[in-house]
Amino acid sequence: MGRKIMEGTVLDAMKISRPAKITNYISYLESISNDLIFCSPYLNAAAKTSDPVERLKYVVSFVIGSLHKTIIHCMAKAPANPILGETFQAHKADGTSLYMEQISHHPPVSIYSIYGPDGLYVAHGCGEPSMGVGLNTVNGYRQGLTRIRFKDGGEVSFTNAYMFVNGLMMGKRTLHYIKTITCTDHTNGLTALVTFSDDGSGRISKLASAVKNWWNGTKNSTPSDHFTVNIFREQKIEGQNQTQTEILSEGSGSWLEYVQFDGVVYWRISDKIEPWNSDEEILLPSHSQSRLDSILIKAKEYDKAQIEKERLEELQRHDAKIRRKPHHN
């Protein structure tokens, strides 16, 4: 693997078969559930409000509040690559249910659905990870939208965060969320745009900017984990082929600390959150936590885990070929 990275022959990290010893015991599919863990209470609150601006504030808090969860869970090891046909299901005490499945091998596509308590909302999403590997970096995001339909008929969608990891092979390892996240209220024509302080520009550009700031006696005082949020409506100017932007609310925060809008804090990292619970479910044999390679990795039996991991990968390639064959009645 290291040789492939050095030679530049690996462009997509999801196509790398990592050794079991450097793989986390949770699978990629299960890690997505951490991205959705703040559905309670934030999507519940979004469903109950009749104010569309307030609804977007809660959706943004749901998205931002979850960003740190998988990182903490996986620490320095990436989750296990998903297996075709793998599933994950869980619930919360308030009645929220989550269902997920890996439906494609190459490209690796995951689908997921959340059903809120008392029919407050239903959310559906589909994601394909796109990860690029450099000599000492990895970057990417999960392509696809999550679309939420609320009980009152309102509909909101959001994109996923783009991340950049430095220090992959040497030096201090750091992770940053970069660029933007867009939440769109399709019913009311509103948008919430989250902009991270790290714009995702190249490292050379950042070095040049740092030299320029040093030369001018200034420095960038905004930490890379900070972001700003604007909730706005774009309206067409009558009689002109132009639009004007009306800012309805402004927010800011840190994905490691808090989210605030107009001086009111909506999420803090210290807030307690109920975890997903799979213990009482009638689980399918394909459930992520039933993967023998993951069980063996968790037990630190890496040699046995490697054998099982290779068996699953070979089975996956066989299943993928069958799915591609035309079926005749």
Side-chain angles (χ1 to χ4, degrees), residues 65 109 156 196 243 323:
V109 178
V156 173
F196 292 96
T243 59
R323 293 192 183 206

Side-chain angles (χ1 to χ4, degrees), residues 75-179:
M75 301 299 285
K77 295 182 177 181
N81 285 346
I83 297 296
L84 180 63
E86 180 182 340
T87 60
F88 183 85
Q89 59 195 93
H91 68 275
K92 294 197 172 196
D94 67 357
T96 303
S97 297
L98 171 67
Y99 301 93
M100 312 176 70
E101 183 177 353
Q102 190 69 21
I103 63 168
S104 176
H105 173 40
H106 282 311
V109 178
S110 312
I111 59 172
Y112 44 92
S113 296
I114 312 173
Y115 295 87
D118 303 317
L120 286 175
Y121 67 88
V122 176
H124 299 292
C126 181
E128 175 190 338
S130 176
M131 306 291 287
V133 178
L135 182 60
N136 198 38
T137 62
V138 60
N139 64 87
Y141 72 111
R142 189 169 68 249
Q143 301 178 61
L145 288 175
T146 300
R147 193 174 291 266
I148 311 162
R149 181 173 290 277
F150 296 99
K151 193 173 185 178
D152 63 7
E155 191 170 304
V156 173
S157 68
F158 62 88
T159 60
N160 298 302
Y162 199 105
M163 72 173 185
F164 182 93
V165 179
N166 199 21
L168 185 64
M169 305 291 288
M170 64 191 81
K172 183 179 179 180
R173 185 169 298 180
T174 58
L175 184 147
H176 308 274
Y177 286 107
I178 61 178
K179 301 183 181 181

Side-chain angles (χ1 to χ4, degrees), residues 133-262:
V133 178
L135 182 60
N136 198 38
T137 62
V138 60
N139 64 87
Y141 72 111
R142 189 169 68 249
Q143 301 178 61
L145 288 175
T146 300
R147 193 174 291 266
I148 311 162
R149 181 173 290 277
F150 296 99
K151 193 173 185 178
D152 63 7
E155 191 170 304
V156 173
S157 68
F158 62 88
T159 60
N160 298 302
Y162 199 105
M163 72 173 185
F164 182 93
V165 179
N166 199 21
L168 185 64
M169 305 291 288
M170 64 191 81
K172 183 179 179 180
R173 185 169 298 180
T174 58
L175 184 147
H176 308 274
Y177 286 107
I178 61 178
K179 301 183 181 181
T180 61
I181 297 172
T182 303
C183 302
T184 306
D185 183 332
H186 301 275
T187 306
N188 298 288
L190 306 182
T191 301
L193 183 65
V194 179
T195 304
F196 292 96
S197 60
D198 190 331
D199 61 5
S201 60
R203 303 298 113 175
I204 294 177
S205 298
K206 290 184 183 299
L207 178 60
S209 178
V211 171
K212 181 180 178 181
N213 289 337
W214 173 82
W215 183 262
N216 293 331
T218 61
K219 55 184 178 181
N220 182 8
S221 59
T222 305
S224 62
D225 56 289
H226 282 217
F227 60 86
T228 58
V229 192
N230 283 325
I231 298 178
F232 60 89
R233 175 189 289 115
E234 287 190 340
Q235 295 178 314
K236 189 173 182 180
I237 301 175
E238 189 174 351
Q240 300 182 37
N241 190 25
Q242 295 180 339
T243 59
Q244 62 181 8
T245 301
E246 178 187 6
I247 303 294
L248 304 174
S249 179
E250 294 180 324
S252 62
S254 158
W255 61 270
L256 291 173
E257 296 182 68
Y258 69 97
V259 175
Q260 70 83 23
F261 286 97
D262 307 312

